[in-house]
Amino acid sequence: MAKGKAGSSTLNVEREEHNLKRQLRLRDLVLAQILTVVGSSWVGIAAGLGHAQLVVWLLAFAFFYAPMAVAVYFLNREMPLEGGLYVWARAAFGDAVGFMTAWNIWAYALTSIATILFQIPSEMAYMLGPRAAGLPENHPVVYSMLAAMVILLAWTAYRGLGLGKWIHNFSGAAMLVAFVLLIFSPLWAWLHGVHIPYEPIAFHLPPRDAVSLSLMGQVLFAASGLEYIAIMAGETHAANRDIGRSVVIATPMVFLMFVLGTASVLAFHQIHAGTPINFVAPIPQTLSLAFGGSGAAAIVAKLAILLLQIRILGAASFLFTGVTRLPMAAGWDHLVPEWFARLHPRYRTPVNSIWVTAAVVAALLVLGSAGVHASEAFAVLNDTSSELYALAYLAMFLIPLIGARALRRKLPRWVSVVCAGGVLAILFILLLNAYPFVDVASPGWFAVKIMGTTLIINALGYGFYRVRRSRAITTNA
């Protein structure tokens, strides 16, 4: 595995060579960034803010995305190592914080995979038409469909990035095509004589009610994920150079997709005022409103929805692949049992970690939808994963501020200033993400569930770390 440019031995983050196969190049990294960062639901959530969407997106990119991009660029340049943010946090703060950072990313990715898969029935219902409107609530059919998908994810992860990168690349390209259709749908409507109130550049302040503040918290964190590819730095050619380049190339594309895509969603919901925005599947809903339910245009809309289905599977596959690497990297550092780090002799993939991950995702899919409607189950999973991921980002933004001095000296001084803004944004996100942006019986109880779940997951992680550390001390005594 590649070592950092300089100072890796000083920071005690040397990685043992494990003969991982280097499969990823710059093209793969750029498409992976788009696949990971540009989620299909975020344009619907941002559209819930009305014409304030551009202002909120600008705030999100200024106070969260920019610090994230800067931190990823410079930290990866110094430590382009398998494990990504986990390795950076461990080098900056020690084993405990490193482990908890990995734990939160691991828990985030597991819940996020479940959330991504949970969107498939809703988006498929739009593709199949009105007769399939009840599909998202048909649990036997949904569970059978999701079980097959979890098995597929496990198999592709088992085969490794030699196969997986093509799935991720195709899915990233599918996302680009779907967004092109979404962004140009107002033009199509205008050419067919439909007046569309399309205003992508409108500067309005967001409302100050609780739901709008919750939506703002979601949007601020929507563009997260740039650092995720660094988890697979040990499987990347020229990781110290190309991961940073992928951030630079993907950034303007991501911004335009979010802003222009949100403007399209908002425009069509303004002329269909009686139709509430579907926060689970806003793009299929908007394309159905734009192109109708019959004729050649409807076929184009269904094709776009199919592309989004492909993107969902690709994003889940990418997250699944990354999350299986965290126990592997932590196993190399003896923070979890080395059983998790055992590699397949041919594919060099962590097979034990893959099967455990598949089992946990399957359990989350069942438990996350038990006794609640689809929209609330989606919001619970989505908000919990955001809280967990935000905690990992808090660790990353604190590295240039209070991390190990030897590491901080290698970073430009202005990086700490930029990351200070990221700390403030993360604290704001942690506070607001617990409030529901969909109708639930009790918003207060919903918030308690989100915060309680986040605390319990972290308590379990820290308890595991302490038990593991105590046993190691006893063994070495």
Side-chain angles (χ1 to χ4, degrees):
M1 185 174 305
K3 295 186 180 182
K5 282 182 62 180
S8 292
S9 58
T10 303
L11 297 170
N12 295 316
V13 294
E14 305 95 326
R15 311 297 289 175
E16 182 181 350
E17 180 64 62
H18 291 275
N19 297 317
L20 298 178
K21 294 186 177 181
R22 295 187 181 275
Q23 302 282 2
L24 303 179
R25 298 184 183 275
L26 181 60
R27 174 201 58 197
D28 310 314
L29 299 175
V30 172
L31 288 170
Q33 298 289 25
I34 292 171
L35 180 65
T36 309
V37 176
V38 185
S40 58
S41 63
W42 295 120
V43 291
I45 293 172
L49 293 164
H51 289 294
Q53 64 101 0
L54 176 59
V55 170
V56 176
W57 278 124
L58 288 171
L59 290 172
F61 272 73
F63 290 99
F64 175 77
Y65 188 94
M68 172 183 65
V70 168
V72 171
Y73 185 93
F74 285 100
L75 289 173
N76 177 78
R77 190 179 68 173
E78 294 301 326
M79 293 176 286
L81 305 169
E82 189 82 358
L85 178 51
Y86 151 68
V87 177
W88 308 340
R90 181 169 176 261
F93 301 114
D95 285 352
V97 175
F99 176 84
M100 291 307 300
T101 300
W103 179 269
N104 275 291
I105 298 172
W106 185 75
Y108 149 75
L110 291 172
T111 53
S112 188
I113 291 166
T115 302
I116 289 173
L117 295 179
F118 200 69
Q119 296 177 46
I120 290 178
S122 293
E123 299 202 0
M124 188 171 289
Y126 280 106
M127 184 175 68
L128 296 176
R131 293 183 179 180
L135 177 62
E137 302 297 339
N138 189 330
H139 286 180
V141 174
V142 168
Y143 289 158
S144 298
M145 186 188 308
L146 297 181
M149 292 175 187
V150 171
I151 293 171
L152 179 62
L153 293 180
W155 180 74
T156 56
Y158 173 82
R159 288 293 305 274
L161 287 169
L163 170 65
K165 70 176 181 180
W166 296 111
I167 297 173
H168 307 153
N169 289 351
F170 186 78
S171 301
M175 191 62 164
L176 283 170
V177 173
F179 260 83
V180 167
L181 290 173
L182 175 67
I183 290 168
F184 281 96
S185 59
L187 176 61
W188 184 93
W190 180 77
L191 291 174
H192 287 77
V194 180
H195 175 68
I196 297 291
Y198 180 68
E199 298 181 75
I201 303 177
F203 295 92
H204 297 275
L205 294 177
R208 295 182 178 85
D209 58 275
V211 172
S212 295
L213 287 173
S214 175
L215 290 171
M216 285 181 61
Q218 294 286 329
V219 173
L220 283 175
F221 203 44
S224 59
L226 283 179
E227 88 304 325
Y228 200 83
I229 189 64
I231 294 175
M232 290 164 272
E235 298 163 85
T236 302
H237 293 276
N240 62 329
R241 180 194 66 195
D242 283 351
I243 288 178
R245 290 173 64 190
S246 74
V247 170
V248 174
I249 295 170
T251 292
M253 301 168 67
V254 168
F255 180 77
L256 290 174
M257 291 170 74
F258 275 136
V259 172
L260 299 181
T262 303
S264 294
V265 173
L266 181 59
F268 281 100
H269 279 84
Q270 284 186 299
I271 64 172
H272 295 275
T275 304
I277 297 172
N278 186 322
F279 291 125
V280 178
I283 298 179
Q285 182 191 41
T286 301
L287 293 175
S288 297
L289 294 174
F291 296 110
S294 61
I299 295 175
V300 173
K302 293 182 185 298
L303 174 62
I305 295 171
L306 177 61
L307 291 174
L308 289 172
Q309 298 281 302
I310 294 171
R311 178 266 164 189
I312 287 174
L313 287 174
S317 173
F318 183 74
L319 288 171
F320 191 99
T321 300
V323 77
T324 61
R325 271 48 175 183
L326 289 172
M328 176 184 73
W332 293 340
D333 297 326
H334 310 291
L335 298 182
V336 301
E338 294 184 34
W339 179 84
F340 284 98
R342 293 178 186 172
L343 301 179
H344 189 277
R346 177 181 176 186
Y347 300 119
R348 308 307 293 168
T349 54
V351 287
N352 294 329
S353 180
I354 289 169
W355 304 131
V356 170
T357 300
V360 175
V361 169
L364 285 173
L365 287 169
V366 174
L367 297 176
S369 59
V372 294
H373 294 294
S375 60
E376 186 176 348
F378 165 78
V380 169
L381 287 171
N382 184 64
D383 277 8
T384 300
S385 66
S386 295
E387 295 288 277
L388 297 169
Y389 206 17
L391 291 173
Y393 269 102
L394 182 61
M396 184 176 75
F397 290 140
L398 288 173
I399 291 173
L401 297 172
I402 58 174
R405 183 176 298 178
L407 175 56
R408 284 188 283 129
R409 285 176 176 172
K410 296 180 180 297
L411 305 175
R413 291 184 178 180
W414 60 268
V415 171
S416 63
V417 177
V418 174
C419 287
V423 171
L424 295 177
I426 281 296
L427 295 176
F428 185 75
I429 289 166
L430 284 168
L431 178 64
L432 293 183
N433 270 358
Y435 192 88
F437 57 87
V438 296
D439 292 330
V440 296
S442 173
W445 175 239
F446 182 95
V448 169
K449 286 195 293 185
I450 297 301
M451 299 302 295
T453 302
T454 302
L455 291 173
I456 289 171
I457 289 173
N458 274 271
L460 289 172
Y462 188 69
F464 177 89
Y465 169 78
R466 295 300 303 176
V467 169
R468 177 78 180 169
R469 182 175 176 81
S470 296
R471 289 180 178 177
I473 293 173
T474 301
T475 301
N476 295 328

